[in-house]
């Protein structure tokens, strides 16, 4: 069976290689530019589906509850979706997120450059919120301060996401043991 490809087919990001530029606005004000982030160890980028996703709500609430733990480990945290500013603001308010930086307006062509999968909206969700016509599926990346990828988890579905307690444990191990990024081989 021949696979259909196009210029917007997702490409994987490789550990130890530079990630694409990432700039967007933050719903609570200001902007985010990955190139300007200077965490001690990592930037944690959480790509979420949007306001319509009840699993995202649970995930981002869990993330917000662990922001201090990430901060203590030198990990800067931000979440981003392709939602509009209005939907991102509603996400902050209705999900009770007061500290987590929530970005909006992720361009879907840029999402593809980050290796994300894109879904088509299917109408109203179980939460009573309309899905956008197109949106990205979840992903989670740890990026080193030098702009290279350390870890990535990209999904085609909203289910079975990594737990942030596991990410924290992994960060502890990585920092204690100077563990290198794995999955870096590109010449297979």
């Amino acid at each position: 069976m021949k696979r259909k490809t196009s210029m917007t087919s997702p490409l994987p990001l490789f550990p130890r290689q530079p990630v694409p530029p990432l700039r967007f606005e933050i719903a609570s004000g200001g902007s985010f530019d990955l190139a300007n982030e200077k965490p001690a160890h990592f930037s944690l980028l959480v790509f979420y589906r949007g306001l319509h996703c009840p699993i995202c709500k649970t995930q981002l609430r869990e993330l917000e509850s662990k922001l201090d733990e990430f901060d203590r480990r030198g990990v800067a945290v931000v979440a981003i979706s392709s939602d509009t500013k209005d939907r991102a603001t509603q996400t902050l308010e209705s999900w009770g997120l007061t500290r987590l930086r929530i970005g909006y307006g992720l361009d879907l062509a840029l999402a593809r450059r980050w290796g994300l999968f894109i879904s088509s909206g299917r109408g109203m969700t179980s939460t009573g919120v309309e899905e956008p016509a197109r949106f990205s599926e979840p992903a989670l990346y740890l990026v080193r301060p030098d702009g290279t990828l350390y870890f990535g988890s990209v999904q085609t579905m909203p289910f079975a996401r990594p737990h942030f307690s596991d990410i924290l444990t992994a960060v502890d191990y990585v920092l204690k043991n100077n563990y290198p990024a794995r999955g870096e081989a590109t010449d297979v």
Side-chain angles (χ1 to χ4, degrees), residues 87-166:
R87 286 173 68 104
T89 300
Q90 189 176 347
T91 295
L92 285 174
E93 293 168 1
S94 65
W95 294 2
L97 302 172
T98 60
R99 297 178 49 219
L100 180 60
R101 292 184 292 174
I102 297 290
Y104 63 89
L106 175 66
D107 179 76
L108 295 179
L110 179 57
R112 284 287 201 203
R113 287 186 61 205
W114 275 84
L116 305 185
F117 292 90
I118 309 299
S119 289
S120 297
R122 297 182 47 144
M124 201 66 68
T125 66
S126 62
T127 62
V129 178
E130 185 85 17
E131 289 184 348
R134 295 277 171 100
F135 56 91
S136 66
E137 290 297 337
L140 187 149
Y141 291 107
L142 281 173
V143 177
R144 288 200 179 273
D146 67 0
T148 59
L149 180 65
Y150 182 79
F151 166 83
S153 173
V154 180
Q155 299 185 237
T156 63
M157 295 285 284
F159 314 112
R161 300 180 198 191
H163 293 280
F164 294 113
S165 56
D166 294 338

Side-chain angles (χ1 to χ4, degrees), residues 45-62:
L45 309 174
V46 179
F47 292 87
Y48 73 102
R49 301 172 85 222
L51 175 64
H52 65 276
C53 179
I55 298 171
C56 294
K57 178 180 180 179
T58 300
Q59 181 191 40
L60 295 188
R61 281 180 164 176
E62 176 197 357

Side-chain angles (χ1 to χ4, degrees), residues 17-86:
Q17 300 297 314
V19 296
L22 186 62
R23 290 180 290 280
F24 50 83
E25 299 301 311
I26 301 291
S28 59
S31 61
F32 175 90
D33 185 339
L34 182 59
N36 294 334
E37 289 287 295
K38 301 298 178 210
H41 298 292
F42 298 104
S43 291
L44 173 63
L45 309 174
V46 179
F47 292 87
Y48 73 102
R49 301 172 85 222
L51 175 64
H52 65 276
C53 179
I55 298 171
C56 294
K57 178 180 180 179
T58 300
Q59 181 191 40
L60 295 188
R61 281 180 164 176
E62 176 197 357
L63 179 57
E64 181 157 287
S65 75
K66 296 187 179 340
L67 287 177
D68 290 337
E69 293 179 56
F70 279 107
D71 189 53
R72 279 194 291 277
R73 289 163 173 86
V75 179
V77 178
V78 68
I80 173 70
S81 78
S82 59
D83 273 351
T84 63
K85 181 179 183 177
D86 287 343

